[in-house]
């Protein structure tokens, strides 16, 4: 009878790293535009968007969401494209969690 070899699965897939996306304050971007960006790019409700915008306005930066690398990069890019199209200096950054 053939010997049955049992192998135990020991390798586990690493969880993908996650990245926080922040909006940064500036003196020129309108509050309404930031609220629109938070709703459109980050899928926030109007109330959440107002709260995040006010945090950025008062504290200099505010967390918009946590994503995998490619999604975070895309969100940052979308913010910069929208801002440029409307001639606002609004900036977004990402940081590893
Ligand atoms: N500080 C801006 C103003 O007073 C508003 C603002 C909020 C700008 C958040 C950028 O990420 C930002 N019009």
């Amino acid at each position: 009878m053939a010997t049955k070899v049992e192998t135990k699965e020991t390798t586990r897939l690493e969880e993908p790293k996650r990245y926080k996306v922040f909006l940064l304050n500036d003196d020129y971007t309108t509050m309404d535009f930031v609220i629109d960006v938070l709703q459109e790019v980050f899928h926030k409700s109007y109330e959440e968007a107002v709260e995040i915008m006010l945090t950025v306005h008062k504290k200099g930066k505010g967390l918009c969401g946590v994503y995998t690398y490619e999604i975070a990069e895309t969100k940052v890019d979308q913010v910069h494209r929208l801002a440029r199209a409307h001639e606002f200096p609004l900036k977004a950054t990402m940081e590893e969690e």
Side-chain angles (χ1 to χ4, degrees):
M1 197 172 94
T3 312
K4 195 175 170 190
V5 179
E6 278 197 60
T7 57
K8 206 173 185 181
E9 184 62 71
T10 53
T11 12
R12 290 189 198 283
L13 292 175
E14 295 293 326
E15 292 298 324
K17 284 180 185 165
R18 289 159 60 85
Y19 295 81
K20 294 176 178 173
V21 175
F22 296 94
L23 281 184
L24 303 182
N25 192 32
D26 67 73
D27 293 338
Y28 304 103
T29 307
T30 62
M31 292 183 170
D32 283 345
F33 181 75
V34 176
I35 294 167
D36 287 347
V37 165
L38 284 161
Q39 290 184 98
E40 284 176 28
V41 177
F42 298 98
H43 309 297
K44 302 298 179 186
S45 67
Y46 178 78
E47 290 74 15
E48 287 173 316
V50 169
E51 203 173 305
I52 296 168
M53 181 281 294
L54 286 173
T55 301
V56 180
H57 178 68
K58 290 181 204 155
K59 303 202 166 155
K61 76 177 195 178
L63 181 65
C64 306
V66 184
Y67 309 95
T68 56
Y69 187 86
E70 282 210 332
I71 295 183
E73 215 183 22
T74 303
K75 303 273 179 203
V76 169
D77 192 55
Q78 284 173 333
V79 170
H80 293 163
R81 282 169 189 274
L82 278 170
R84 221 174 296 130
H86 292 82
E87 301 187 314
F88 287 127
L90 180 63
K91 292 290 174 221
T93 58
M94 56 193 273
E95 283 176 22
E96 192 183 318
E97 202 179 43

